[in-house]
Amino acid sequence: MAQALHSVTSDVEQLSERVRELERRVSALEGQPEKPVPTAAAEPNLALQRPRPPATWRGFPPAEIPGGAVPVLGKAVLGIAGAYLLRAIAESGAIPKLPILILAIVYAGLWMVWAVRTHAANRFASVTYGITAALILSPLLWESTVRFQVLAPAFTAVVLVAFVVLALALAWPRNLQVIPWIATLAAVITALALIIATHELVPLTAALLAVALATEVAACLEHRLSMRAVPAIAADFAVWLIVDVMTSSQGVPEGYHPTAPSTITLLCLILFAIYGGSIAIRTFALRRPITIFEIGQGVLAFLVAAFGAMRATHGAAAPALGAFSLVLAAVCYWGTLSRFTAEAYARDRRVCATYAGALLLAGSFLLFSATLRVPFLCAAAVAAVFLYARAGKLSLGIHSSFYLAAAAAVSSLPQWAASALAGTVPPAPDWSIWIVTVSAALCYLVGSRPAQATHAAQDQEKDQKKRRLLWVLPAVLVGFAGAALAVVAIVWLAAGRLELAPSRLSVIRTVVNCALALALGYLGSRWKRIELGWVAYTAVAFGTLKLLFEDLRFGNAASLVVSLLFYGLILILLPRLTRRGGAAS
C-alpha cells in the first residue's frame, strides 16, 4: 500500500515537472519574433478543414443577392405608392388638381435625378429608379390629359420634351446610355398614345420633333447615343400622319382640328432640317463617318418632307423645293470632289455622290418644265463627263450616263427611234432629239478618249471594264439615233420616186441595222473600244428580233433573200473584227 502511494506521488511530480517545462518553452516562444509558417506545414492543416456547405435560401432570399435587389425594388414600389398618394389627393378635391399634378411631375423628375446619382454605385438601382420615373410620369400625363383633362396637350408635350432634356442633361457628364433610352422611349410612346387618344396632332408632333432635335444636338456635340433611331422613326410617322390626315381628299376626319397648310409645311421642313443639319454637321463639319442610320434617315426625312410640302401646298412648293434640291446637290458634289477625297472617307464620298445625283435629278423635275428639263439634264451630263475626264472619279462617269439616260427618257428620242426602226416612219427629228444625240456623242468622245486610259491603267482589269461600261449608253444612243436618222433620210429621198411597200421598208431597215453593226465593230477594233463591240452585238440582237417580227411577217421572197444575205454577212464578219481588235489590244 505504501509502495503504491509512493509510485503515484512520483508520477504526479514528473507530470508537474513536465508542465513547468512546457510553460518555460511557451514563455520563451512568446518572447521571440513571429516566424512565418512553412507552406508544407500548413498544407496538412488545410487538408483537415472541411468545406462549408453551400448557402441555401431559407424563406426569403438574402438581401445582398443580387446587389441588394430586393431593397431597390422595395424603394421603387414605395415611389410608385407615393405617386398613387398624390393621385388620391388630386381625386379627393381637397386641393386643386393642377398644383398636385405639377408636384407629381416634379416628383417623377426627382426620381430621374436619383437614378443618375446612384448609377456609379449600383447600376441595377439606377435603371430601376429610371424606370420608376417613367412609370410615374407617363400614366400621370395620360390621365391628366385624357381622363381628367386638366393639362392641355400642348403643356403635356412641353413636359415630355423637358423630361427627355432632363435625362440627357443628367446623363451627359458620365455619358450614360440607359437613362436617355428610358426617358426617350417613355416620351415617344406617351406622345404617340396621346396622338391617337386626343387627335391633337400639331403639339404632339412638335414634341416628337423636339425630342428628335434634342437627341441630334447631343450627337452633334460628340455625345454617343444609341437610341437616335427611336425619336427619328416616331417623328417620321407623326409628320406623315399629320400630312395624311389633314390633306386627305375626303376632308379632315371628325374629331380632328383642321391645320393650316403653312403649319403642315413648316413641320415637314423642320423634320428635314433636323436630320439634314445633323448629317451636315457630323459629316461635313466634324468629318465623322456617316452611319447607316444617317444614310437611311436622311433619305426618309427628305422624302417625307418633300411629299408633305407638295401635298399641303397642292404643288405650289415645287419650284422652291427644286431650287433647294439643286443647292443641296451642289453641296454634295463639293463634298465628293473636295471634302472627302481621302481614302478614309470612301463611304462618305460614295454617299455624297449618290445624294448629289438623286438631288439633281429631283431638282430638275421639280424646278424646270418639260421644255427645259432635257437641255438641263444634257448640260449636267456634259459637265459631269468633263469633271470625270479631269478627276478620273468613277462616280462622275456614272452620273454622266445617268443624266444622259434621264434626258433621253423625258425626250421624244425613244419613241422616234422605235418608230423609225420598227414602225411607221416618223418625220424629221425635233430639237430635243438633236440635243440628246449631240450630248451623247460629246459624252462618249470626252469620256472614252485615250487620255482617260492613264487613269484606268493604274487600276485593275476589273476596274477598267467598269470604266468601259460607262460609255455603253452614249454609244447606244448615238448608234441607234444615227440608224433611225438614216432610215428617215432614205425614206425622205425615196418619197415620190419609189413606192416603199412594207417589204421594201423592212429591207431598208435590215440593211441600215447591219451597216450600224458593221461600223461599230470596225470602229471598236480600230480604236480598241470594247464597248463599241458590245453595242454592235446589241444591234445584231435587234436585227434578229426584226427578222422574226417584221421581215418574215411583211416580206416576200426577194426581200427575205436580201435581208438574210446581209444578216448572214454580218454574222460572219463581225466576230472576225472583234477578235482582231482583241488580239491587237
Side-chain angles (χ1 to χ4, degrees), residues 386-537:
F386 274 103
L387 289 174
Y388 169 82
R390 180 180 179 181
K393 298 294 184 181
L394 188 66
S395 58
L396 293 173
I398 296 174
H399 286 195
S400 177
S401 296
F402 176 68
Y403 297 146
L404 199 59
V410 298
S411 69
S412 56
L413 176 60
Q415 183 179 1
W416 180 82
S419 300
L421 297 175
T424 303
V425 179
D430 58 16
W431 62 270
S432 65
I433 296 174
W434 284 110
I435 289 178
V436 174
T437 305
V438 172
S439 300
L442 186 59
C443 288
Y444 183 79
L445 292 175
V446 174
S448 63
R449 61 186 179 180
Q452 182 59 34
T454 57
H455 298 289
Q458 302 171 358
D459 301 330
Q460 299 178 354
E461 182 180 356
K462 184 177 180 180
D463 188 61
Q464 294 180 14
K465 290 184 178 180
K466 288 181 180 179
R467 292 181 182 273
R468 302 319 304 177
L469 278 171
L470 295 176
W471 316 117
V472 171
L473 179 64
V476 167
L477 292 177
V478 174
F480 282 92
L485 184 61
V487 171
V488 171
I490 292 172
V491 171
W492 179 76
L493 292 174
R497 303 177 184 178
L498 183 66
E499 182 181 356
L500 291 178
S503 58
R504 292 180 178 178
L505 184 59
S506 65
V507 172
I508 293 173
R509 287 170 171 167
T510 300
V511 172
V512 170
N513 186 71
C514 292
L516 171 65
L518 186 62
L520 290 173
Y522 173 76
L523 293 176
S525 63
R526 184 176 178 83
W527 294 346
K528 310 301 184 294
R529 307 288 176 83
I530 189 174
E531 69 276 2
L532 294 181
W534 297 337
V535 180
Y537 278 105

Side-chain angles (χ1 to χ4, degrees), residues 6 41 47 49 100 116 164 184 224 274 307 355 369 377-378 404 438-439 479 526 540 568:
H6 177 74
Q49 294 180 0
I100 298 299
V116 175
V164 174
T184 304
R224 185 178 62 86
I274 291 172
F307 169 76
Y355 280 173
S369 61
L377 290 173
C378 289
L404 199 59
V438 172
S439 300
R526 184 176 178 83
V540 171

